[in-house]
Amino acid sequence: QVQLEESGGGAVQAGGSLRLSCRASGYTYGTNRCMAWFRQAPGKEREAVATINRLAGTNYTDSVKGRFTVSLDNRKNTLYLQMNSLEPEDTAMYYCAADGPLRFRGGDYFCPNTDYGNWGRGTQVSVSS
Protein backbone atom coordinates (compact mmCIF):
# COMPACT_ATOMS: atom_id res chain seq x y z
CA GLN A 1 0.00 0.00 0.00
CA VAL A 2 1.36 3.37 -1.00
CA GLN A 3 1.61 6.02 1.68
CA LEU A 4 2.92 9.55 1.41
CA GLU A 5 3.43 11.31 4.71
CA GLU A 6 4.08 15.05 4.85
CA SER A 7 5.72 16.83 7.75
CA GLY A 8 7.35 20.15 8.50
CA GLY A 9 4.39 22.48 8.36
CA GLY A 10 3.76 25.09 11.02
CA ALA A 11 3.12 28.71 11.82
CA VAL A 12 5.76 31.31 10.98
CA GLN A 13 5.97 35.04 10.51
CA ALA A 14 6.37 36.63 7.11
CA GLY A 15 9.93 36.35 5.91
CA GLY A 16 10.49 33.08 7.72
CA SER A 17 11.33 29.66 6.35
CA LEU A 18 10.01 26.12 6.55
CA ARG A 19 11.08 22.85 4.99
CA LEU A 20 8.39 20.37 4.14
CA SER A 21 9.18 16.67 3.81
CA CYS A 22 7.22 13.89 2.15
CA ARG A 23 8.37 10.37 2.93
CA ALA A 24 7.05 7.58 0.74
CA SER A 25 6.40 4.02 1.81
CA GLY A 26 5.27 1.28 -0.53
CA TYR A 27 6.43 3.45 -3.42
CA THR A 28 9.81 4.28 -4.91
CA TYR A 29 10.25 7.62 -6.62
CA GLY A 30 11.20 6.78 -10.20
CA THR A 31 12.86 8.61 -13.05
CA ASN A 32 9.92 8.02 -15.38
CA ARG A 33 7.34 9.54 -13.05
CA CYS A 34 6.79 13.00 -11.67
CA MET A 35 6.49 14.21 -8.12
CA ALA A 36 4.95 17.45 -6.99
CA TRP A 37 3.86 19.73 -4.20
CA PHE A 38 0.39 21.23 -4.31
CA ARG A 39 -1.36 23.65 -1.98
CA GLN A 40 -4.90 24.68 -1.30
CA ALA A 41 -5.94 27.78 0.62
CA PRO A 42 -9.43 28.18 2.09
CA GLY A 43 -11.90 29.14 -0.60
CA LYS A 44 -9.39 28.65 -3.39
CA GLU A 45 -8.69 25.91 -5.87
CA ARG A 46 -5.78 23.56 -5.39
CA GLU A 47 -2.70 24.67 -7.29
CA ALA A 48 0.55 23.02 -8.23
CA VAL A 49 3.44 24.72 -6.46
CA ALA A 50 6.41 22.71 -7.74
CA THR A 51 7.09 19.63 -9.81
CA ILE A 52 10.21 17.52 -10.15
CA ASN A 53 11.55 14.73 -12.29
CA ARG A 54 15.12 13.78 -13.18
CA LEU A 55 14.50 14.24 -16.91
CA ALA A 56 12.08 17.19 -16.75
CA GLY A 57 13.92 19.04 -14.02
CA THR A 58 12.05 21.32 -11.65
CA ASN A 59 9.24 23.74 -12.32
CA TYR A 60 7.53 26.27 -10.09
CA THR A 61 4.41 28.36 -10.14
CA ASP A 62 5.30 32.01 -10.71
CA SER A 63 4.39 33.19 -7.23
CA VAL A 64 7.04 31.02 -5.55
CA LYS A 65 9.91 31.25 -8.04
CA GLY A 66 13.09 32.32 -6.33
CA ARG A 67 11.69 31.52 -2.89
CA PHE A 68 10.84 27.79 -2.95
CA THR A 69 13.07 24.86 -3.89
CA VAL A 70 11.87 21.32 -4.52
CA SER A 71 14.29 18.42 -4.19
CA LEU A 72 14.32 14.66 -3.97
CA ASP A 73 16.52 12.36 -1.90
CA ASN A 74 16.26 8.98 -3.60
CA ARG A 75 18.28 7.28 -0.87
CA LYS A 76 15.76 8.36 1.75
CA ASN A 77 12.81 8.11 -0.67
CA THR A 78 11.81 11.58 0.48
CA LEU A 79 10.59 14.66 -1.37
CA TYR A 80 11.33 18.10 0.07
CA LEU A 81 10.07 21.65 -0.37
CA GLN A 82 12.30 24.35 1.06
CA MET A 83 10.26 27.53 1.49
CA ASN A 84 12.05 30.81 2.16
CA SER A 85 10.83 34.40 2.41
CA LEU A 86 7.36 33.15 3.24
CA GLU A 87 4.44 35.49 2.69
CA PRO A 88 0.93 35.48 4.16
CA GLU A 89 -0.33 34.50 0.71
CA ASP A 90 1.55 31.20 1.10
CA THR A 91 -0.83 30.14 3.88
CA ALA A 92 -2.44 26.88 2.78
CA MET A 93 -2.58 23.14 3.25
CA TYR A 94 0.35 21.66 1.38
CA TYR A 95 0.15 18.21 -0.21
CA CYS A 96 2.78 16.06 -1.81
CA ALA A 97 1.86 13.98 -4.83
CA ALA A 98 3.60 11.19 -6.65
CA ASP A 99 3.20 8.89 -9.61
CA GLY A 100 2.46 11.69 -12.06
CA PRO A 101 2.85 11.09 -15.80
CA LEU A 102 6.08 12.31 -17.40
CA ARG A 103 5.17 13.92 -20.69
CA PHE A 104 7.16 14.83 -23.78
CA ARG A 105 6.36 17.76 -26.03
CA GLY A 106 8.35 19.94 -28.36
CA GLY A 107 11.58 18.09 -27.66
CA ASP A 108 11.36 18.49 -23.88
CA TYR A 109 10.11 16.46 -20.99
CA PHE A 110 7.74 18.12 -18.55
CA CYS A 111 5.59 17.29 -15.57
CA PRO A 112 1.90 18.19 -15.74
CA ASN A 113 -0.16 19.75 -12.97
CA THR A 114 -2.75 16.97 -13.03
CA ASP A 115 -3.16 13.19 -13.00
CA TYR A 116 -1.05 12.35 -9.95
CA GLY A 117 -1.93 8.93 -8.63
CA ASN A 118 -0.84 9.13 -5.01
CA TRP A 119 -1.39 11.88 -2.47
CA GLY A 120 -0.46 12.64 1.08
CA ARG A 121 -2.90 13.94 3.67
CA GLY A 122 -1.33 17.37 3.81
CA THR A 123 0.50 19.60 6.25
CA GLN A 124 -0.68 23.08 7.23
CA VAL A 125 1.46 26.14 6.62
CA SER A 126 0.35 29.41 8.20
CA VAL A 127 2.21 32.65 7.63
CA SER A 128 1.35 35.73 9.65
CA SER A 129 2.15 39.31 8.68
Side-chain angles (χ1 to χ4, degrees):
Q1 182 179 358
V2 176
Q3 285 191 324
L4 302 178
E5 184 175 2
E6 303 97 335
S7 62
V12 297
Q13 291 188 327
S17 298
L18 286 173
R19 188 174 83 152
L20 306 184
S21 300
C22 177
R23 191 173 186 282
S25 58
Y27 180 87
T28 301
Y29 293 123
T31 58
N32 62 340
R33 304 298 284 176
C34 294
M35 288 70 69
W37 287 97
F38 288 77
R39 68 185 179 186
Q40 187 166 20
K44 295 188 176 181
E45 292 187 355
R46 184 176 64 192
E47 67 168 339
V49 176
T51 62
I52 185 170
N53 170 272
R54 189 177 68 84
L55 298 177
T58 58
N59 193 50
Y60 302 90
T61 191
D62 286 345
S63 63
V64 308
K65 285 180 180 177
R67 301 188 298 121
F68 290 12
T69 303
V70 61
S71 62
L72 178 63
D73 187 330
N74 288 98
R75 184 173 57 87
K76 295 182 179 180
N77 215 31
T78 300
L79 181 70
Y80 299 99
L81 184 68
Q82 177 66 44
M83 306 186 295
N84 299 328
S85 302
L86 283 161
E87 303 169 353
E89 293 73 22
D90 296 317
T91 295
M93 184 71 80
Y94 284 71
Y95 301 90
C96 69
D99 201 28
L102 178 64
R103 302 203 187 282
F104 188 81
R105 183 180 62 195
D108 290 317
Y109 289 99
F110 71 97
C111 291
N113 293 337
T114 59
D115 299 328
Y116 286 78
N118 294 295
W119 293 81
R121 292 187 176 183
T123 185
Q124 178 68 40
V125 171
S126 299
V127 185
S128 59
S129 58

